[in-house]
C-alpha cells in the first residue's frame, strides 16, 4: 500500500469577536430598564465597583426634618399633597387614627366569575366543577376545550368521578354569567349568547338569524345575498348589522387586566428630542449612576516574591475585580456613546419630521446604510442599537425602527411612510358604499404624483392592516 503526501490551499473568511465585543453587543441590545438592572447587579456583585457620589457631603445636623415633612417633600407641588397629609393629628393618645391606604381594586376574569358563582347554592362537587370550567377559559373568555377533556382532568386531580354531562351542566351556568358571551366556544357562539340577552325586536331577530345561519355571508360582507337570504329590506338589514357590530367579540376584554402585566406594557423612552429656537436638542435618558473604581481597589498591587500564599491570593482577587469593574465601566460608556451617535444621525436625517410636529409624510427614506455612512458603525451595531429603543418628542413617543423606511423605487426620493400616509388618506375619504379597488387607489396615487405599481399599493395596504375593497363595503 503506497502512501503519499500532498499540500492544498484553502481560503476561508471568518469573523471572530473578542470577549469584550460579545459583551458590548449584548449590552447594546438591552433596553434602558434592563441596563439599569445590569448596573445594579454589577454594583452588588463586584466590590471594586461603586457609584460616584456627585452630591456634596452634608453634615448630620442638616437632617432636622421630621418624617412627615419628608413624606410631603416627595410631592411635586402643594396641589398634589392629599388633604390627610395636611391634617393636624392633635388627638389624644387613646384616639384611633386611620391613615388611608391605596388598595388595588382590579380583578381578573376568574375573580369576577368566582364572585358570581358564590351567589348560587351549589354542592361542593358542582362548585369545584364550575371552577374548573372557569379556569379553562382563555383571556378572551372562550372555552377552547371539550367537556370530556375537562371531566378527565377533574377526575384525575380530585379522584371524584365526573362525567361530561356534569361539566356541561356547570358550563351552561357559567354561560349565563356576566359579561355576556363568556363561556362561548367560538365567535358565532359568543355573538349568539349576547343576542339572546337583548330585548326582543325585529332587528334582533334578523341579527340572530344572520349569525345563526348566514355568518359566512356576513363576515364576507355579501350584503346583497344576505338581504335576499333573510328577505330583509336594506333598512332592516342595516339595523340588524348595526346591532351585530355593537356586540363584543372578546367578552373578557371588559375585565381589568393583571396589574403586573399592565405595568410591563409601559414604554420607557431612551432618548428625548426637544425643539428650541429651531434647533434640536438630543438627550439620552437613563437612571444610571456615574460609576468608578472603589478607593481601596485603585492601587495597582503586584504580588511580591516573598508574599505569603494568602497575600498573593488577595492581590489576585483585587486585580481581578478591578479589571472586571474597569471593563464594565468601559462597556457602559461605549454603549451610551454608540446610542447617542446613532440617535444623533437619525435626528440629522429626519430633522424635518421632528420639526413638523409628528407628520409622517415628512419622513425621509432612510436605511441602516445611511446611518452607517454618518457614524461609521457596522450595520449590525446600528440594528442592535435601535432595536427596542424609543424617543420622546414634544408630540409623542416613537420607536426608532419607525424612522427606517425604504424607497418604493431606487431612483425616487419618496419614503414609504409618505406613500402609506397617502394611501390611508385616500381610503379614509372613499365612499364606503363603493370602496376603491387597488387599481383605483393606484390611479389616485398617480394623480398625486407618485408612480408606483398596483402590487406595491396592495402590499402597503396590507401593511396598514386595511382589507380589500369588498371587505370595506358598508351599507
Amino acid at each position: 500500500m503506497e502512501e503519499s503526501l500532498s499540500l492544498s490551499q484553502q481560503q476561508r473568511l471568518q469573523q471572530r469577536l473578542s470577549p469584550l465585543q460579545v459583551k458590548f453587543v449584548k449590552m447594546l441590545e438591552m433596553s434602558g430598564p434592563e441596563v439599569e438592572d445590569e448596573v445594579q447587579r454589577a454594583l452588588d456583585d463586584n466590590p471594586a465597583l461603586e457609584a460616584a457620589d456627585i452630591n456634596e457631603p452634608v453634615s448630620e445636623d442638616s437632617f432636622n426634618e421630621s418624617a412627615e415633612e419628608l413624606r410631603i417633600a416627595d410631592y411635586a407641588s402643594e396641589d398634589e399633597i392629599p388633604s390627610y397629609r395636611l391634617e393636624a393629628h392633635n388627638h389624644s393618645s387613646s384616639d384611633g387614627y386611620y391613615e388611608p391606604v391605596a388598595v388595588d381594586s382590579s380583578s381578573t376574569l376568574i375573580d369576577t366569575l368566582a364572585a358570581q358563582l358564590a351567589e348560587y347554592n351549589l354542592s361542593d362537587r358542582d362548585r369545584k366543577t364550575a371552577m374548573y370550567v372557569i379556569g379553562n377559559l382563555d383571556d378572551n373568555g372562550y372555552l377552547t376545550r371539550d367537556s370530556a377533556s375537562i371531566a378527565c382532568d377533574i377526575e384525575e386531580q380530585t379522584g371524584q368521578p365526573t362525567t361530561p354531562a356534569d361539566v356541561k351542566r356547570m358550563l351552561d351556568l357559567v354561560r349565563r354569567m356576566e359579561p355576556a358571551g363568556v363561556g362561548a366556544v367560538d365567535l358565532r357562539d359568543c355573538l349568539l349568547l349576547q343576542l339572546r340577552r337583548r330585548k326582543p325586536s325585529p332587528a334582533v331577530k334578523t341579527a340572530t338569524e344572520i349569525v345563526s345561519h348566514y355568518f359566512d355571508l356576513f363576515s364576507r360582507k355579501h350584503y346583497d345575498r344576505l338581504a335576499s337570504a333573510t328577505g330583509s329590506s336594506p333598512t332592516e338589514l342595516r339595523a340588524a348589522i348595526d346591532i351585530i357590530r355593537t356586540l363584543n367579540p372578546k367578552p373578557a376584554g371588559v375585565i381589568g387586566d393583571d396589574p403586573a402585566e399592565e405595568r410591563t406594557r409601559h414604554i420607557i423612552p431612551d432618548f428625548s428630542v426637544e425643539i428650541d429656537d429651531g434647533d434640536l436638542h438630543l438627550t439620552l435618558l437613563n437612571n444610571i449612576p456615574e460609576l468608578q473604581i472603589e478607593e481601596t481597589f485603585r492601587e495597582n498591587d503586584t504580588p511580591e516574591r516573598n508574599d505569603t500564599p494568602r497575600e498573593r491570593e488577595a492581590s489576585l482577587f483585587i486585580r481581578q475585580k478591578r479589571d472586571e469593574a474597569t471593563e464594565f465601566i468601559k462597556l457602559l460608556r461605549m454603549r451610551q456613546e454608540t446610542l447617542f451617535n446613532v440617535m444623533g444621525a437619525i435626528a440629522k436625517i429626519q430633522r424635518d419630521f421632528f420639526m413638523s410636529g409628528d407628520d409622517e409624510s415628512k419622513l425621509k427614506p432612510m436605511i441602516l446604510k445611511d446611518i452607517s455612512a454618518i457614524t461609521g458603525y457596522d450595520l449590525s451595531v446600528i440594528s442592535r442599537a435601535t432595536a427596542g429603543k424609543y424617543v420622546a418628542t414634544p408630540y409623542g413617543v416613537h420607536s426608532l425602527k419607525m424612522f427606517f423606511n425604504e424607497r418604493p423605487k431606487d431612483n425616487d426620493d419618496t419614503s414609504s411612510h409618505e406613500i402609506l400616509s397617502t394611501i390611508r388618506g385616500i381610503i379614509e375619504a372613499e365612499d364606503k358604499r363603493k370602496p376603491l379597488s387597488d387599481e383605483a387607489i393606484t390611479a389616485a396615487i398617480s394623480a398625486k404624483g407618485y408612480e408606483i405599481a398596483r402590487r406595491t399599493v396592495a402590499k402597503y395596504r396590507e401593511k396598514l392592516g386595511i382589507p380589500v375593497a369588498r371587505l370595506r363595503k358598508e351599507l
Side-chain angles (χ1 to χ4, degrees):
M1 182 175 181
E2 296 182 358
E3 295 183 359
S4 61
L5 297 177
S6 62
L7 295 176
S8 63
Q9 286 184 332
Q10 289 183 344
Q11 186 176 8
R12 292 188 302 174
L13 181 63
Q14 288 183 333
Q15 182 180 15
R16 294 185 179 180
L17 297 178
S18 65
L20 183 64
Q21 289 174 315
V22 174
K23 294 178 181 179
F24 169 67
V25 167
K26 182 178 179 181
M27 183 175 289
L28 190 62
E29 290 179 333
M30 294 181 181
S31 62
E34 291 173 341
V35 172
E36 293 173 14
D37 293 341
E38 186 69 14
V39 170
Q40 188 59 49
R41 183 200 62 76
L43 289 171
D44 294 338
D45 295 346
N46 193 341
L49 191 66
E50 69 173 1
D53 187 8
I54 60 176
N55 299 319
E56 297 181 359
V58 183
S59 63
E60 295 182 359
D61 297 336
S62 62
F63 291 100
N64 53 8
E65 291 182 311
S66 64
E68 185 64 26
E69 290 173 337
L70 289 173
R71 294 193 191 99
I72 293 178
D74 290 337
Y75 297 95
S77 63
E78 294 183 359
D79 295 335
E80 297 182 4
I81 302 176
S83 59
Y84 66 85
R85 287 292 186 194
L86 303 176
E87 294 176 1
H89 299 179
N90 54 357
H91 303 280
S92 64
S93 59
S94 59
D95 291 342
Y97 182 81
Y98 302 96
E99 183 170 328
V101 178
V103 179
D104 184 11
S105 59
S106 60
S107 61
T108 63
L109 176 64
I110 294 180
D111 296 335
T112 302
L113 297 179
Q116 298 178 55
L117 187 64
E119 300 176 1
Y120 292 88
N121 186 16
L122 302 174
S123 63
D124 292 341
R125 180 179 175 182
D126 287 344
R127 192 173 302 278
K128 289 181 180 179
T129 302
M131 285 304 300
Y132 266 94
V133 172
I134 293 173
N136 279 276
L137 299 178
D138 63 14
D139 295 337
N140 296 325
Y142 288 77
L143 184 66
T144 57
R145 303 184 64 201
D146 58 89
S147 301
S149 299
I150 298 177
C152 290
D153 288 348
I154 296 175
E155 188 169 348
E156 180 180 351
Q157 297 185 23
T158 64
Q160 297 180 352
T162 305
T163 64
D166 296 331
V167 177
K168 182 66 169 58
R169 184 162 46 84
M170 290 298 100
L171 175 59
D172 292 338
L173 176 64
V174 172
R175 287 160 65 91
R176 296 198 297 269
M177 295 181 180
E178 295 292 338
V182 72
V185 296
D186 54 27
L187 177 58
R188 177 185 294 185
D189 188 27
C190 176
L191 300 181
L192 286 175
L193 286 176
Q194 298 177 57
L195 285 171
R196 288 166 186 160
R197 299 193 189 186
R198 291 295 183 98
K199 183 178 179 180
S201 67
V204 172
K205 181 180 179 181
T206 303
T208 304
E209 182 182 2
I210 291 173
V211 175
S212 300
H213 306 292
Y214 308 108
F215 192 70
D216 290 341
L217 295 178
F218 168 74
S219 60
R220 295 171 182 171
K221 294 193 174 183
H222 291 311
Y223 295 134
D224 295 338
R225 297 172 58 185
L226 200 58
S228 177
T230 59
S232 304
S233 64
T235 303
E236 294 171 341
L237 184 62
R238 186 181 300 107
I241 292 177
D242 289 342
I243 290 178
I244 296 176
R245 287 176 176 167
T246 62
L247 305 179
N248 188 357
K250 298 179 180 180
V254 299
I255 307 297
D257 294 330
D258 185 1
E261 294 182 0
E262 185 66 24
R263 286 193 294 271
T264 60
R265 295 197 187 110
H266 293 310
I267 293 176
I268 301 178
D270 301 88
F271 306 93
S272 172
V273 173
E274 298 179 354
I275 304 174
D276 185 17
D277 293 335
D279 294 329
L280 296 179
H281 295 276
L282 175 62
T283 305
L284 181 60
L285 305 176
N286 58 65
N287 293 322
I288 301 174
E290 186 70 25
L291 302 180
Q292 65 182 15
I293 304 299
E294 204 272 334
E295 185 176 0
T296 58
F297 284 80
R298 293 174 188 172
E299 297 182 2
N300 190 11
D301 294 334
T302 304
E304 299 293 339
R305 182 175 300 178
N306 57 351
D307 286 345
T308 63
R310 178 169 294 184
E311 291 174 340
R312 288 178 176 274
E313 184 179 351
S315 298
L316 181 62
F317 173 81
I318 292 175
R319 184 171 56 186
Q320 178 184 354
K321 292 301 179 182
R322 182 176 61 244
D323 293 344
E324 291 178 359
T326 303
E327 180 184 86
F328 187 83
I329 294 174
K330 180 180 179 181
L331 287 173
L332 193 59
R333 289 175 179 172
M334 288 172 58
R335 177 189 183 272
Q336 305 297 76
E337 181 182 356
T338 302
L339 290 180
F340 191 85
N341 291 339
V342 169
M343 185 62 221
I346 293 175
K348 181 179 180 180
I349 296 176
Q350 304 295 358
R351 174 183 172 83
D352 293 343
F353 170 80
F354 290 110
M355 300 296 295
S356 66
D358 204 17
D359 185 1
E360 290 190 6
S361 63
K362 298 294 184 180
L363 285 173
K364 295 182 179 179
M366 185 183 75
I367 57 178
L368 295 177
K369 288 183 179 180
D370 298 327
I371 304 299
S372 178
I374 297 176
T375 61
Y377 296 140
D378 187 78
L379 299 182
S380 62
V381 172
I382 299 172
S383 178
R384 289 181 171 90
T386 55
K389 309 298 190 304
Y390 295 84
V391 56
T393 72
Y395 315 103
V397 178
H398 302 282
S399 169
L400 296 193
K401 290 295 185 182
M402 184 202 74
F403 298 101
F404 292 91
N405 57 98
E406 60 185 358
R407 292 174 172 83
K409 298 172 67 174
D410 293 338
N411 58 351
D412 194 357
D413 204 27
T414 303
S415 70
S416 59
H417 281 283
E418 187 174 351
I419 300 296
L420 290 171
S421 178
T422 304
I423 292 176
R424 185 188 296 111
I426 292 174
I427 293 178
E428 288 177 352
E430 70 182 0
D431 184 359
K432 299 304 179 184
R433 292 174 296 181
K434 296 179 180 180
L436 300 175
S437 63
D438 290 342
E439 291 82 357
I441 297 175
T442 303
I445 290 180
S446 298
K448 294 179 178 290
Y450 304 107
E451 295 296 334
I452 59 175
R454 186 202 60 81
R455 60 179 178 273
T456 305
V457 170
K459 182 183 73 172
Y460 285 167
R461 175 182 52 75
E462 293 173 357
K463 187 175 181 179
L464 290 170
I466 300 176
V468 296
R470 175 173 54 82
L471 297 181
R472 301 198 307 269
K473 184 177 181 181
E474 296 179 4
L475 292 175

